[in-house]
Structures are given as structure tokens and as C-alpha cells.
Amino acid sequence: MNSIQLLREQFKSAHDAQEAVMKDVTSETAHFDKTNKALPVGAAYAHSVMCEDIIMSPILTQKEPVSSAMKTGLSEPIPSMKEWDKHEAWTRSVRVDLPVFRAYAEAVYKATDEYLTTLKESDLDSNVEMHGFGSFKLSFILTNFFLLHTANLTGEISAAKGIQGLKGYQIGRAHV
């Protein structure tokens, strides 16, 4: 197995784990906001997928985000990095149409995997400017900006579900 194959497996695993955690989420669960500072389930899910789409597409793939070609199911777009001070208010006001958003998430995951298939191992050592964050090796961006971000938000989704008395992680043989 090479590094690109490993990355593809890691992204698939992160996406599958996130979707497994979201599988039993209802609209009521998604929009429950009595979690104090934890993100509501729907907002955390939206944040995770939207950031992968709107950051990876223009910076890494040089393509339009998936969201530019299909409905996301969000009542309002995620604030841009220039308006990040509005993010917390957005997390409390955004409404997620879960079936529509799940279809969008699948398209984002597919676009990510398609991008990964275009890479050569030597690409992972190249430096990429992350507009406003600095320049990083592509390997760092993929693992830290995207994989860990997805994993962290999946954990937050699980915690927010737990606050509601629901099971968070749905780990089983399918995810091992």
C-alpha cells in the first residue's frame, strides 16, 4: 500500500464513521441547541462537510465546490473565513434538510476521493498556500485540515447526541 491508497482509506473511514453517527439523526436531534457551547448536531455535520467542500475544491482541486452545482439542504450558507465571527450565530440558526444534505455530503466525499486518485506520492511533499493560514505541505493539509477536522467534528456530533440521551459513535465491524 502506498501513501495515496492509505489516505483514500483514511478519508473513506472518516466519512463512513461520520455518516454512521448521523444515520439515526432526526431533524429534532439535528437542531437541538441546548448543548451550551457544543455545536448542534446538524451544524457540526454541515460545518464538517461544507469546509471539506469549500476549502478543498478551490485550493487543492482548482475546481468549483460541489455546493456550486447542487443543493446543500442548508437554510443559509456557512460564513466565509472573512466573516468567521458570525460562525457561532450561524450554528444556532442554520437548519439542515438531512436527506438533501446527505446526498450533498456523498457528492463531496466522492469529489474528495476523485481528487486523491489524481495525486502521486511526490505531490504530498509539495507546499500549498492555505489563504490566510500560511503555506503547508499537502500531506499536512490532508491529514490535519481535513481528516482530523472530520474526526473531531464526528466526536462533537457524538457528544451532542449523548447530551440528548442518544448513542453517539456507531462503531462496528463495518468500520474496522
Side-chain angles (χ1 to χ4, degrees), residues 32-170:
F32 178 86
D33 66 355
K34 311 256 183 305
T35 60
N36 197 6
K37 285 292 189 177
L39 296 177
V41 168
Y45 182 42
H47 174 101
S48 175
V49 176
M50 289 296 302
C51 287
E52 185 170 326
D53 183 28
I54 63 177
I55 295 172
M56 189 178 290
S57 295
I59 295 174
L60 301 183
T61 71
Q62 311 301 306
K63 294 181 179 179
E64 288 292 316
V66 173
S67 59
S68 67
M70 71 183 294
K71 292 182 180 187
T72 63
L74 298 181
S75 61
E76 55 191 293
I78 191 169
S80 70
M81 291 305 293
K82 292 176 185 170
E83 299 180 311
W84 204 246
D85 59 319
K86 298 177 182 176
H87 183 265
E88 188 169 346
W90 173 83
T91 67
R92 303 296 176 209
S93 65
V94 69
R95 293 295 171 253
V96 183
D97 180 327
L98 290 168
V100 174
F101 195 83
R102 284 183 178 117
Y104 161 69
E106 287 300 319
V108 170
Y109 304 156
K110 181 179 178 193
T112 296
D113 189 58
E114 287 172 357
Y115 165 68
L116 294 172
T117 66
T118 69
L119 297 177
K120 299 181 295 288
E121 288 206 44
S122 59
D123 294 332
L124 298 175
D125 287 326
S126 63
N127 285 313
V128 177
E129 178 59 40
M130 289 295 289
H131 308 289
F133 291 107
S135 181
F136 301 92
K137 288 200 178 297
L138 179 60
S139 58
F140 180 87
I141 293 167
L142 292 171
T143 56
N144 290 276
F145 276 85
F146 296 111
L147 279 171
L148 291 177
H149 189 245
T150 299
N152 290 341
L153 284 160
T154 299
E156 188 149 359
I157 292 166
S158 293
K161 285 177 68 180
I163 290 169
Q164 297 177 66
L166 304 169
K167 182 173 174 61
Y169 283 109
Q170 309 289 324

Side-chain angles (χ1 to χ4, degrees), residues 2-19:
N2 66 36
S3 300
I4 304 303
Q5 291 167 321
L6 178 61
L7 280 169
R8 288 181 71 201
E9 284 189 19
Q10 289 175 323
F11 271 94
K12 180 172 181 358
S13 179
H15 293 149
D16 287 351
Q18 187 166 46
E19 291 304 315

